[in-house]
Amino acid sequence: MTTTTTLVTLHDTRVLRCAPEGPALDGESAALDLIGDAFGQDAEVVAVPAERVAEEFFRLRSGVAGAVVQKFANYRLRLAVVGDVSGYVADSSALRDFVHESNQGRQLWFLPDDAALEERLRPAG
């Protein structure tokens, strides 16, 4: 069995980087699995490739995104969706606003690639 997560440290922040292959992030149960992995490795941020995020997550009316983000917040973990979400964003102004608002905060980020995540975690100054 291949490992589906790797722990990396970016600017003193422990990041659990998920592999592109693995179970989809499709609800609270999948979120709890990732949270358990993160706690097991003392990670502060979980980086999930966009291709592992279920389509329902991007349909805000489904409630999946809200439930997943709430689980991460409850456990004081940050979630980063890493990769191209432009196709979903193009189809939904509500999602476009959600992505924009999320990227202003510290709980959930939508980032184009690992370099953007590293830049986001770089200390100010």
Side-chain angles (χ1 to χ4, degrees):
M1 183 173 130
T2 59
T3 179
T4 57
T5 61
T6 313
L7 187 71
V8 296
T9 302
L10 302 172
H11 305 293
D12 295 327
T13 301
R14 293 168 65 89
V15 178
L16 189 70
R17 190 177 277 157
C18 300
E21 54 285 332
L25 180 54
D26 59 1
E28 289 185 35
S29 175
L32 286 170
D33 288 345
L34 290 176
I35 288 164
D37 289 349
F39 266 84
Q41 301 203 42
D42 208 22
E44 302 162 69
V45 177
V46 178
V48 179
E51 60 263 37
R52 270 198 52 192
V53 179
E55 211 170 289
E56 301 84 63
F57 184 96
F58 296 106
R59 284 201 309 272
L60 296 181
R61 261 175 293 168
S62 74
V64 171
V68 165
V69 172
Q70 189 60 55
K71 280 288 176 230
F72 276 86
N74 289 348
Y75 289 93
R76 292 181 170 73
L77 283 169
R78 290 179 274 168
L79 175 63
V81 174
V82 180
D84 183 14
V85 298
S86 60
Y88 294 109
V89 168
D91 291 342
S92 167
S93 61
L95 180 61
R96 186 167 47 250
D97 293 345
F98 179 71
V99 167
H100 178 77
E101 287 295 314
S102 297
N103 283 340
Q104 305 305 306
R106 294 190 44 79
Q107 188 60 53
L108 169 66
W109 296 330
F110 294 88
L111 302 167
D113 52 37
D114 288 331
L117 176 59
E118 186 169 350
E119 185 59 37
R120 197 69 191 257
L121 293 171
R122 186 183 308 279

